[in-house]
Amino acid sequence: MSSNKVLDEQRQGEATMLDTIEKGAKKLYLESYGCQMNFSDSEIVASILSERGYATTRNAEEADLVLLNTCSIRDNAEQKVRNRLTHFNAAKRKKPDLMIGVLGCMAERLKSKLLEEEKLVDIVVGPDAYRDLPALIEEVSDGRKAVNVLLSREETYADISPVRLNSNGVTAFISIMRGCDNMCSFCVVPFTRGRERSRDPESIVHEARYLHQEGYREVTLLGQNVDSYRWNVSKKGDVIDPDKEVVNFAGLLEKVAQVAPDLRVRFSTSHPKDMTDEVLQTMARYENICKYIHLPVQSGNTDVLKRMNRGYSREWYLQRIDAIRRYMPDCAISTDVIAGFCGETDDEHADTLSLMEEVQYEFAYMFKYSERPKTLAERKYQDDVAEELKQRRLSEIIELQNKSSLRRNKAALGKTFEVLVEGLSKKSDEKLYGRNSQNAVMVFDRGDIEIGSYVMVKAVDCTSATLIGEVISKK
Ligand code: 5AD
Ligand code: SF4
């Protein structure tokens, strides 16, 4: 399996089983699928339910309530969840009191269909309705089925302190905004997660400060399109409350970077059409803002980008890459690529390969186009690239990326990086792993190094996915 595939599956589908928080309470078993935002939402759900006496468990068999936080981005993500629901329904036959609920994007997309037609679940809750979960659970206890898929223009869960699940105690996500207004033609997200809205910057800084006090050393600011974060200013640009500060993404990044010099700041996801020089300048100014940008390109061909409604051309994208390199020559860049979008010709696909060759990404998430119901592409274009051809194009993209990742890692050999230690290596208890500012995973001897500390590590060997290092000094 290629490294991309492993990471892709980690990100897009692998279930996460969560730790027990306290004993003796009702038991919640929660699995999360899809993007980091879903994992972050699960921590909000666990927080809401912990106030109602639910403790999370890793063991589904002892659960009173099973919740799946789901993803609709590609058809195979939904299929995985359906298989899990069938599995839990078999368990329910032996334990009729077991409640099963679907949260997240699939809940929003399929709404009561999951209850009525498919009879797979008791509870369906969309991404903006998690505060209603306790009431919905009550309804199910009274023998009814319960649905709330209302989307909101305001909900950001700003006041809820997430229960950190499956945490390494070192790195944490902070959700800074919700929804997406971009309407990329392939994407179901604007339909499942609703309109874009930003969270109060004070609550974000407060959460970062709290995490730092608790010993965390890295926060990742999350949003579908972080560059359109805005506070106290309307979409048209009018100031809402003249007595209060206006905050854009660069401003927010700076505020979080100022929380503590030993708190690293990352963010995801940037949009090429909105990423400003001001953000790049802020990144360059603060050592603790990691030098890593995830900048999804989707395609290297301007006509395809137009059909995708991405709002930029190949030239614009490459000019953004130049800007990143100008301000931060050491910045790593990763991307998302879709193979076989509607009407994609051989030449258009070749443009994607040539762009990747030109940029030399450190890392990429690569997908075959999967038509999603209701999206602009579904209504406007034919999904006309044959499956076999999509697969072949995807394989070419992956092969090229693996070469590029390996080349990038080889170029790092002999260099020394500051690494934040995140935990024990999966392969050996005698090794630790962490990441450098550029988000490359480094593995090195454990010695007496503490998890959560910073160490200087020299890269001495590599695969396309990992740098093997020698510890030079502790910090
Ligand atoms: N088919 C394939 N990939 C998709 N993505 C979003 N929608 C689709 C789709 N319908 C990819 C994009 C996006 C990433 C999160 O998922 O590359 O950036
Ligand atoms: Fe989907 Fe585009 Fe919004 Fe990303 S920016 S969530 S790809 S619509």
Side-chain angles (χ1 to χ4, degrees):
M1 200 184 252
S2 71
S3 58
N4 172 66
K5 231 170 155 196
V6 176
L7 276 155
D8 175 33
E9 286 184 2
Q10 267 173 13
R11 187 171 96 149
Q12 300 297 334
E14 198 176 89
T16 310
M17 284 115 215
L18 308 167
D19 285 317
T20 298
I21 299 164
E22 51 190 72
K23 299 249 172 335
K26 283 175 281 180
K27 297 281 196 309
L28 159 67
Y29 176 83
L30 183 49
E31 276 183 11
S32 304
Y33 294 84
C35 64
Q36 292 166 339
M37 189 67 90
N38 257 9
F39 285 72
S40 166
D41 279 3
S42 289
E43 300 186 332
I44 287 170
V45 167
S47 172
I48 291 169
L49 289 179
S50 75
E51 307 233 314
R52 301 299 178 113
Y54 276 91
T56 51
T57 172
R58 279 168 179 270
N59 179 2
E61 282 173 20
E62 63 172 27
D64 305 292
L65 171 63
V66 168
L67 294 176
L68 304 188
N69 196 356
T70 62
C71 169
S72 289
I73 201 124
R74 282 169 291 278
D75 187 55
N76 58 7
E78 291 202 353
Q79 287 315 326
K80 262 184 215 158
V81 169
R82 283 179 196 280
N83 291 341
R84 288 303 276 164
L85 285 175
T86 309
H87 167 84
F88 288 120
N89 271 279
K92 191 177 163 106
R93 279 197 284 279
K94 287 188 216 134
K95 189 177 174 186
D97 285 347
L98 177 67
M99 280 184 215
I100 303 175
V102 168
L103 315 176
C105 289
M106 248 177 110
E108 194 61 49
R109 196 179 83 68
L110 295 165
K111 304 189 167 58
S112 54
K113 199 165 162 244
L114 285 164
L115 293 175
E116 288 154 12
E117 289 168 33
E118 310 192 23
K119 301 203 182 337
L120 284 171
V121 295
D122 306 297
I123 308 174
V124 178
V125 192
D128 288 345
Y130 296 145
R131 287 180 203 268
D132 201 22
L133 259 166
L136 297 167
I137 291 168
E138 285 286 302
E139 275 185 43
V140 175
S141 307
D142 293 345
R144 280 166 292 167
K145 301 272 179 185
V147 188
N148 186 345
V149 287
L150 288 176
L151 288 173
S152 158
R153 278 171 177 263
E154 287 95 36
E155 181 64 271
T156 58
Y157 301 109
D159 57 319
I160 293 181
S161 172
V163 168
R164 300 292 163 184
L165 298 165
N166 249 14
S167 168
N168 56 12
V170 182
T171 60
F173 296 125
I174 302 182
S175 165
I176 63 163
M177 58 202 295
R178 299 181 72 81
C180 184
D181 283 350
N182 280 327
M183 287 296 198
C184 300
S185 65
F186 50 78
C187 188
V188 78
V189 167
F191 303 94
T192 60
R193 302 191 76 97
R195 299 304 297 271
E196 187 177 280
R197 66 221 97 119
S198 298
R199 176 179 167 187
D200 183 342
E202 237 173 74
S203 76
I204 297 169
V205 171
H206 183 268
E207 194 171 323
R209 211 171 276 139
Y210 173 76
L211 285 164
H212 182 254
Q213 273 163 16
E214 292 291 297
Y216 286 81
R217 289 295 174 262
E218 182 180 299
V219 294
T220 302
L221 308 180
L222 288 182
Q224 302 294 345
N225 177 1
V226 291
D227 301 288
S228 42
Y229 177 89
R230 68 191 126 83
W231 184 253
N232 194 26
V233 59
S234 75
K235 210 167 180 187
K236 279 195 226 135
D238 303 324
V239 175
I240 296 167
D241 181 346
D243 296 331
K244 289 201 179 133
E245 193 185 8
V246 168
V247 184
N248 63 9
F249 182 59
L252 179 73
L253 204 50
E254 177 148 43
K255 282 177 191 290
V256 179
Q258 285 170 348
V259 165
D262 66 344
L263 181 70
R264 276 184 171 180
V265 187
R266 297 185 186 274
F267 56 86
S268 190
T269 298
S270 305
H271 197 303
K273 80 175 162 59
D274 300 321
M275 192 186 64
T276 60
D277 282 23
E278 193 190 355
V279 166
L280 301 177
Q281 286 155 356
T282 307
M283 287 178 78
R285 240 186 357 260
Y286 286 87
E287 211 184 318
N288 60 332
I289 304 181
C290 290
K291 302 299 175 277
Y292 170 68
I293 296 182
H294 183 61
L295 196 67
V297 67
Q298 315 297 2
S299 165
N301 177 274
T302 298
D303 290 335
V304 176
L305 290 168
K306 224 174 252 159
R307 294 202 289 283
M308 288 178 163
N309 199 29
R310 288 288 289 176
Y312 57 86
S313 62
R314 176 188 174 101
E315 288 67 35
W316 171 273
Y317 184 90
L318 289 172
Q319 169 260 326
R320 292 287 72 205
I321 297 284
D322 285 347
I324 296 172
R325 302 241 155 97
R326 201 164 53 242
Y327 291 111
M328 293 167 288
D330 62 340
C331 189
I333 305 172
S334 64
T335 199
D336 291 345
V337 184
I338 298 178
F341 184 65
C342 309
E344 188 186 67
T345 63
D346 284 340
D347 285 349
E348 288 169 343
H349 166 64
D351 282 346
T352 297
L353 296 176
S354 77
L355 179 132
M356 292 176 73
E357 191 72 62
E358 191 169 335
V359 178
Q360 292 285 324
Y361 293 105
E362 265 76 9
F363 189 80
Y365 297 96
M366 300 159 277
F367 313 104
K368 273 187 286 188
Y369 173 59
S370 163
E371 184 176 84
R372 308 310 293 135
K374 281 202 200 160
T375 53
L376 282 177
E378 189 235 14
R379 285 181 278 147
K380 214 164 147 190
Y381 304 116
Q382 286 284 325
D383 179 14
D384 55 1
V385 178
E387 179 60 27
E388 211 189 33
L389 188 53
K390 271 186 198 170
Q391 184 56 53
R392 197 181 327 140
R393 288 181 183 167
L394 179 65
S395 303
E396 286 174 18
I397 289 171
I398 291 175
E399 200 183 323
L400 184 65
Q401 182 52 44
N402 284 345
K403 278 191 203 144
S404 171
S405 296
L406 185 61
R407 199 176 302 149
R408 285 284 184 199
N409 273 351
K410 281 192 171 154
L413 296 183
K415 294 191 184 142
T416 299
F417 300 94
E418 185 184 85
V419 171
L420 173 60
V421 185
E422 290 180 34
L424 290 178
S425 148
K426 279 197 188 106
K427 289 195 188 135
S428 157
D429 280 357
E430 292 310 304
K431 303 252 179 215
L432 293 171
Y433 82 96
R435 279 171 297 149
N436 64 12
S437 173
Q438 289 76 9
N439 210 34
V441 174
M442 298 192 81
V443 175
F444 43 91
D445 284 343
R446 182 174 177 178
D448 59 353
I449 294 165
E450 281 179 31
I451 291 169
S453 67
Y454 287 97
V455 279
M456 300 304 293
V457 183
K458 182 173 169 184
V460 292
D461 201 357
C462 69
T463 66
S464 66
T466 312
L467 292 172
I468 293 128
E470 263 169 23
V471 177
I472 300 292
S473 61
K474 292 197 221 169
K475 282 207 83 183

